Amino acid sequence: MIRILKTTIAIMFLILCAVVLASPRAVPLNSAEELPLYPPIKIEAPTPSAPVQLSIDKIGIYTTIESVGISIGGSMAVPENVNNVGWYNKGAVPGEPGTAVLAGHVNSRGGGDAVFTRLHELEIGDKIRVTNDQGRVETFVVRNTLRYSVLADTSDIFTSTDGLSHLNLITCEGVWSSLFKTHNRRLVIFTDKIEE
């Protein structure tokens, strides 16, 4: 009886050892070189929400924002609908640090009104609001108004280095140039983001 008991204990010990030896070995926490290798996880920064609506109470603008890039000629593209504005999607998002730019037509091909027909009426201190696709509203206040020749360097309209958030609105102005197939001037409204 004692011999059977000893034999049983010995067999159980051998089975236990086999199970332990066959089990995966625990990795010590201080042994990084023994940790299994996994591909690194790339954490993407969240993409800022795109602007979808422009509101300017003073001149009765409540319109859709189209996303536009660069035209074949190398300049900023314009919105397809004369009653919409185009957001330059190669620049900043309205409300983010940098300069965002919205462009709109001053009139239609037939000479009728378009989205920015009354843009020239804006004055320093007037407010502009942009709503993004998440429903967030950013408010900007007019800081300055400038006019540029169609041949002028307008790079300052698209850039800033102060780390703040700006929004610039562009439309045509002046007389039609048959040579350039556009108006001879650009009206630019410079605005800065404010907290309300």
Side-chain angles (χ1 to χ4, degrees), residues 45-116:
T47 302
S49 298
V52 295
Q53 186 177 45
L54 173 68
S55 303
I56 310 177
D57 292 341
K58 180 175 179 179
I59 53 178
I61 292 178
Y62 308 97
T63 190
T64 299
I65 297 174
E66 298 178 17
S67 178
V68 300
I70 299 173
S71 69
I72 295 174
S75 58
M76 177 182 173
V78 295
E80 294 182 11
N81 189 322
V82 297
N83 294 311
N84 293 346
V85 294
W87 163 57
Y88 182 59
N89 59 25
K90 307 298 181 187
V93 174
E96 298 292 317
T99 298
V101 177
L102 299 179
H105 295 280
V106 69
N107 54 30
S108 64
R109 286 186 183 274
D113 287 352
V115 65
F116 278 168

